[in-house]
Amino acid sequence: MVKTYRHESLLGFFKGMSFPIASIAVVNSVLFGVYSNALLALTATSHQERRAQPPSYTHVFIAGCTGGFLQAYCLAPFDLIKVRLQNQTEPRAKPGSPPPRYRGPVHCAASIFQAEGPRGLFRGAWALTLRDTPTLGIYFVTYEWLCRQFTPDGQTPSSGTVLVAGGFAGITSWVAATPLDVIKSRMQMAGLKQRAYGGLLDCMVSSARQEGLGVFFRGLTINSARAFPVNAVTFLSYEHLLLSWG
């Protein structure tokens, strides 16, 4: 944090924010919409009926995996641009200093498209899909399990229960997701650094040989610290919106 501030000023902490802000509503609507509808197809019960007739954890996991799989393809280009901008560590602008490689998200997207073609915008998408498909299944199962533990049968979980269950679901999913998140980010940066990995497995083996197995959990602490409040609020919003709209 100190190095980022000294080198890039306060703005360094907000790199790559515009595309996630623009895409988060679409990405979450795909995830939660697919999850709810997949669960409806599997159980034939509405959201309100599920408290009286809770779905099996297998159904919750399958619905979560389905949502994660489809979400990944919506997220991939936005995530790539975010990662490229966040890894652009030019110092504070000074007179005569060279301009940054990317001037913003639109310029970043155009540059990637020009240099790497349409497929370049989906670099790391396979790793992203492998990351999100099982981990979002785990995410929803954890949330459902915690809600059921602290809610009497047939009742709607309280706001406090939803916040705690959502927060811990976020942490649990990031513990599972972090190894593939590291690989995904490295593959996304490979095009910028002119380094070609032979694929997902080659990236994993190369990273482990050069930096040890600990490399796969790099960033876990900050991911977990972010995951609790973000997912607590996400699930609280989800539950209240569904109750409000019937």
Side-chain angles (χ1 to χ4, degrees), residues 82-208:
K82 179 199 74 171
V83 168
R84 290 281 180 96
L85 289 171
Q86 287 177 339
N87 279 275
Q88 183 171 261
T89 56
E90 78 282 353
R92 310 179 204 209
K94 296 178 182 177
S97 60
R101 184 186 185 100
Y102 302 126
R103 296 191 295 271
V106 175
H107 181 251
C108 180
S111 299
I112 293 169
F113 185 85
Q114 187 175 20
E116 304 174 49
R119 290 183 63 185
L121 290 169
F122 288 87
R123 185 181 288 274
W126 181 229
L128 182 65
T129 303
L130 289 178
R131 183 196 76 176
D132 283 358
T133 300
T135 55
L136 284 166
I138 294 167
Y139 176 68
F140 284 106
V141 167
T142 304
Y143 172 75
E144 280 292 327
W145 182 79
L146 287 170
C147 281
R148 293 180 198 181
Q149 296 305 304
F150 299 104
T151 306
D153 290 345
Q155 293 188 22
T156 301
S158 67
S159 295
T161 298
V162 170
L163 285 168
V164 172
F168 279 107
I171 291 174
T172 303
S173 66
W174 269 109
V175 170
T178 296
L180 274 167
D181 187 62
V182 171
I183 298 305
K184 181 255 326 167
S185 297
R186 290 183 174 219
M187 293 184 73
Q188 288 173 328
M189 290 302 296
L192 183 63
K193 295 179 178 178
Q194 301 301 314
R195 174 169 184 177
Y197 289 113
L200 185 71
L201 187 60
D202 179 51
C203 183
M204 292 176 69
V205 172
S206 298
S207 298

Side-chain angles (χ1 to χ4, degrees), residues 186 204-218:
R186 290 183 174 219
M204 292 176 69
V205 172
S206 298
S207 298
R209 281 179 179 169
Q210 292 173 17
E211 300 168 68
L213 293 177
V215 70
F216 296 119
F217 292 94
R218 193 170 286 173

